[in-house]
Each structure stands twice: as structure tokens, then as C-alpha cells.
């Protein structure tokens, strides 16, 4: 572990303590009423949440928690897998796992899972300690278990575990059947007798849709797209380009992944990515640019807490931009545009059952903090079978006993985060539908939710954007039926 990482692991909980002191001063201020006129009120709710989720007494436990998460990260990044005459880490193995050659994808998946199997005891030990420490922190702070504290740590102020439970039930009822159908279509498309776990990333015999040009080519088109989309996005993209607020090209020793951040001192967004020639490059100029555009539209707010909303809301901005920009996808995918759209919609939909699996598993874990690693694995496999019954680990006993989640860093690092992607996705689909019906209105709703930044809670943002709540059964039902009719109208066998 680097010295710097260790320093942050030790200092972050103390820093949390300082923030809590500040928030206490804010809430106890004799000018509180006057402040409420100056500051949008959500900050007071966020302050209460931070105060409830901390006490100086839990600092040593929080430090231990951070250390364990760093151990997990280090273990995952330590992977050195011998394949194809090379020594690869897990992300370098990824392209082989997505290979069109079934023999290669099977071998790569087996290499991948044998890394986790070799380190099974270590993963079990790290997670077991994390669960017990989080439970202890929760008890010390006066909660009955970690679940409620986990929700508070995510900044959630207006929905609870029960709402999310109902959401998962509705996913099971309306989304899972479509997801199962899509996997069956995938099986037919790629021409296999039975879809195995190592076939999942392989979607088209002709390969996945990819942009037809390099970084400069993509950025030229992204500029044209945002200039045509609206005056606001035109202004935004030109600022991003003129001020060089991107780091897009992949290079040796550069950190993996992609994200958007907000440079508060300059009040501008910044986008970090690793372009690699796949459709992920386009996601950077739609998804990450969606995050960036939100921070740009809400940059006038003085409170740093309001730069981004809580993550289930922040992902609405990004995931919706992926759909709002659909009319320009021809610029990037040319003759493969329909294939891209089919893939985008079906891939995002089949993700939802996996997303709720990760969530339900964590509810089991923190409601049963004394379960053994074996009991956890069994719970994972049972939940996995419920939401993704097509997952077939027939020839891999290790994955079949319920260990696929070892790879999911969120489960170790940020408990209860994962459901946010699925909640936001249901909202993004609503923008997709709205854009098809009344683009002008859809754009206004989108602009409005960007402008409030993080100054509203999730349910308030839904109201601002005229969005139906994903917690209502009817919302999922309607969204699912629109998606199904679109997907059914496409002849994917020719793709
Ligand atoms: Zn995002």
C-alpha cells in the first residue's frame, strides 16, 4: 500500500469529524433561519445525515474499514495471469473474455475465475472483517444493523430499504422476463446450443458496434452533435474543447477507467477517460459529458456539496444524455447505428437484473452480519438464480457455488451504491420515451434537473424533471412495455 493511500485511509475519518463539526455549527447557528433564505435547504438535510453517520468513537473502526478496502483493491490489482504468452492483469484479460472465439473466451474466463479461486480465503477474510466492522460501527452509532447507516452514507434522505425492496420485486416482475428473452435472442444470434457464462459478453457474430474513427474524429463529431442539440450544450462543448478540459487518450501507466469531476476553483467540469476504439469511447462523449453538462449548468451554486447530487440522481443526467443524443449516433456508428441502438438498449436492460442482485445480496449480508462466508455464497447464488436464471456455470464449480461477486468492487468499497445505477436507468428510459414523443419538452425537463445540481433530494429531482418515481410499480411497467415493443420491432438476427 502506498504511503499516500495509507495516509488518506487514516485521515479521511478524522476529516469526516471536521465536517461534522462544521455541520453542527451550521445547524445550531442562531442565524439558521436567515441562512435558510440564502442557502437552498437541502444542505441542512445533508448536514443531519453526516452528523448521524459519525461519532469520534468510531474513527478507529472507520480507519480499519478503509484499510480493508485498500487491501481488496490491492489484491484485485495484483492479478498476474499468464495467457496468450503474456502476463496480464484482470483488465488486460478482459478483451480475451469478450473474444468472438468461444474457445478463447472460455479459457480466459477460466483463468479469470482461477485468480479469484486461488485467493478465495483472502477475499472471504477481507469481506468478513468488513461486514463485522461495519456492523459494529452501526451498533455504536445506535442503529440496529448497518443497512440504515449504509443508506445514510449514500446521502439518501427520502427513501428507505423497503422502497428498494419493492423496486426489486417490480424488476423481477417486469424487467427480468424481457432480460431472459434477450439472452435467448443472443443465444440464437451467436448460434450456440446453450448460453454459458463465458458467452455473455459476446453479442454479435459480426462483432460489437464500434465508432468508425479515432479520438480527433470522435471529438469533431461530438462538437457538431452538441452544437446542434441545443445552445446550452453548444456553449458547453466549446468551452470544454477551448479550455482543454479532457484527458482522453490511453497511455502507459495511466489510471484505468473514466469519470467526470468538477474543478471547483475554476467552476468547470473535467473528463478523464481511456479511449480504446470500442463503443465505450462514445459513452465518454455522452455519459461522462452528461455528468459534465450537469455540473456546468449548476456551476453558479456556491456550496461545494451541490456540485453533484447523490449518485442515483447524478446517473440520471449521464444515462439520459446517452439517449438524448441518439439522433446523432449515425455520426459515429454510420451503417452500424441500428445495431448500436439495439445493443445500447438491450445491454442496459440486461444490466438491471444484475444490479438488483448485487443490491439484494448486500441487504442479506448486512441484515445477517453473523452469516458465514459459505452462507453468503449460497445467498448470492440463490439471488443470482432468481434474477438471472440463464447464468449457467455448469463447468465451473467455483463460480457455481456463488463467488461471481468477488469481482464487484462496490460490494467491498461502497456498500449499497449499486442500486443507484438501476434507479437512474429507469429514469433515463423515461427520457428516451419522452424524446420520442416530445423532444422539446424532454430537453426542458433535462435542463431543469441539470440546473438544480445537488440542491435537491432524489424524489425532488424527479419532480423537477417531471419523471415518475422508479419506486412506483406503474413506472417500471410502462417503461418495460415501451422497451419491449422497440426491441421486438428489430430484426437482430441480421446484425
Ligand atoms: Zn456515471
Amino acid at each position: 500500500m502506498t504511503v499516500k493511500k495509507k495516509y488518506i485511509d487514516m485521515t479521511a475519518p478524522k476529516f469526516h469529524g471536521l465536517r461534522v463539526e462544521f455541520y453542527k455549527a451550521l445547524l445550531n447557528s442562531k442565524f439558521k433561519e436567515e441562512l435558510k433564505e440564502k442557502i437552498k435547504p437541502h444542505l441542512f438535510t445533508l448536514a443531519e445525515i453526516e452528523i448521524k453517520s459519525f461519532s469520534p468513537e468510531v474513527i478507529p473502526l472507520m480507519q480499519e474499514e478503509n484499510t480493508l478496502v485498500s487491501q481488496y483493491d490491492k489484491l484485485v490489482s495484483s492479478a498476474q495471469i499468464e495467457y496468450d504468452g503474456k502476463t496480464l492483469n484482470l483488465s488486460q484479460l478482459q478483451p480475451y473474455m469478450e473474444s468472438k472465439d468461444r474457445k478463447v473466451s472460455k479459457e480466459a474466463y477460466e483463468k479469470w475465475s482461477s485468480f479469484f479461486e486461488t485467493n478465495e480465503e483472502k477475499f472471504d477474510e477481507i469481506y468478513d472483517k468488513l461486514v463485522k466492522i461495519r456492523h459494529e460501527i452501526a451498533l455504536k452509532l445506535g442503529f440496529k444493523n448497518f443497512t440504515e447507516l449504509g443508506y445514510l452514507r449514500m446521502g439518501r434522505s427520502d427513501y428507505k430499504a423497503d422502497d428498494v425492496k419493492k423496486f426489486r420485486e417490480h424488476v423481477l416482475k417486469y424487467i427480468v422476463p424481457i432480460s431472459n428473452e434477450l439472452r435467448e435472442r443472443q443465444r440464437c444470434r451467436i448460434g450456440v446450443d446453450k448460453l454459458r457464462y463465458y458467452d455473455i459478453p459476446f453479442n454479435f457474430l459480426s462483432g460489437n458496434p464500434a465508432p468508425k474513427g479515432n479520438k480527433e474524429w470522435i471529438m469533431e463529431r461530438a462538437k457538431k452533435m452538441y452544437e446542434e442539440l441545443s445552445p446550452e450544450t453548444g456553449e458547453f462543448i466549446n468551452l470544454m474543447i477551448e479550455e482543454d478540459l479532457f484527458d482522453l487518450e490511453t497511455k502507459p501507466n495511466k489510471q484505468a477507467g473514466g469519470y467526470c469531476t468538477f474543478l471547483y476553483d475554476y467552476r468547470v467540469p473535467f473528463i478523464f477517460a481511456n479511449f480504446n476504439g470500442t463503443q465505450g469511447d462514445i459513452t465518454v462523449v455522452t455519459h461522462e459529458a452528461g455528468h459534465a453538462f450537469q455540473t456546468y449548468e449548476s456551476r453558479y451554486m456556491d456550496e461545494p456539496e451541490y456540485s453533484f447530487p447523490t449518485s442515483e440522481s447524478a446517473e440520471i443526467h449521464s444515462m439520459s444524455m446517452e439517449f438524448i443524443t441518439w439522433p446523432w449516433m449515425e455520426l459515429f456508428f454510420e451503417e452500424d447505428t441500428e445495431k448500436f441502438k439495439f445493443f445500447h438498449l438491450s445491454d442496459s436492460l440486461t444490466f438491471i437484473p444484475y444490479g438488483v442482485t448485487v443490491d439484494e445480496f448486500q441487504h442479506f449480508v448486512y441484515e445477517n452480519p453473523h452469516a458465514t462466508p459459505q452462507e453468503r455464497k449460497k445467498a448470492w447464488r440463490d439471488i443470482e438464480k432468481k434474477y438471472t436464471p440463464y447464468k449457467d456455470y455448469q463447468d465451473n464449480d467455483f463460480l457455481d457455488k456463488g463467488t461471481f461477486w468477488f469481482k464487484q468492487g462496490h460490494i467491498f468499497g461502497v456498500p449499497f451504491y449499486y442500486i443507484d445505477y438501476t434507479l437512474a436507468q429507469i429514469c433515463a428510459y423515461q427520457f428516451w420515451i419522452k424524446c420520442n414523443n416530445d423532444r422539446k419538452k424532454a430537453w426542458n425537463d433535462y435542463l431543469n434537473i441539470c440546473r438544480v445540481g445537488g440542491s435537491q433530494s432524489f424524489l425532488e429531482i424527479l419532480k423537477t424533471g417531471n419523471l415518475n418515481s422508479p419506486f412506483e410499480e406503474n413506472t417500471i411497467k410502462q417503461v418495460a412495455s415501451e422497451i419491449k415493443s422497440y426491441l421486438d420491432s428489430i430484426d437482430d438476427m441480421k446484425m
Side-chain angles (χ1 to χ4, degrees), residues 309-318 424 449 456-459 461:
T310 43
S311 58
E312 79 292 80
S313 308
E315 293 303 326
I316 302 178
H317 303 107
S318 52
I449 63 166
Q456 293 186 348
S457 69
F458 179 52
L459 297 187
I461 286 177

Side-chain angles (χ1 to χ4, degrees), residues 77-91:
S77 61
S78 74
Q80 293 206 315
I81 294 158
E82 301 299 324
Y83 191 66
D84 193 23
K86 298 179 191 118
T87 307
L88 307 167
N89 63 27
L90 292 178
S91 64

Side-chain angles (χ1 to χ4, degrees), residues 47-73:
E48 279 167 29
I49 287 176
E50 286 255 337
I51 293 168
K52 272 195 232 167
S53 48
F54 179 83
S55 124
E57 177 193 15
V58 300
I59 290 179
L61 291 168
M62 288 170 84
Q63 289 171 327
E64 223 177 304
E65 182 186 0
N66 290 345
T67 306
L68 286 161
V69 174
S70 294
Q71 275 174 22
Y72 168 83
D73 292 338

Side-chain angles (χ1 to χ4, degrees), residues 159-170:
Y159 62 96
K160 300 244 178 316
D162 274 349
D163 300 299
V164 175
K165 184 168 185 272
K166 274 186 235 136
F167 173 77
R168 293 194 306 264
E169 286 164 8
H170 300 147

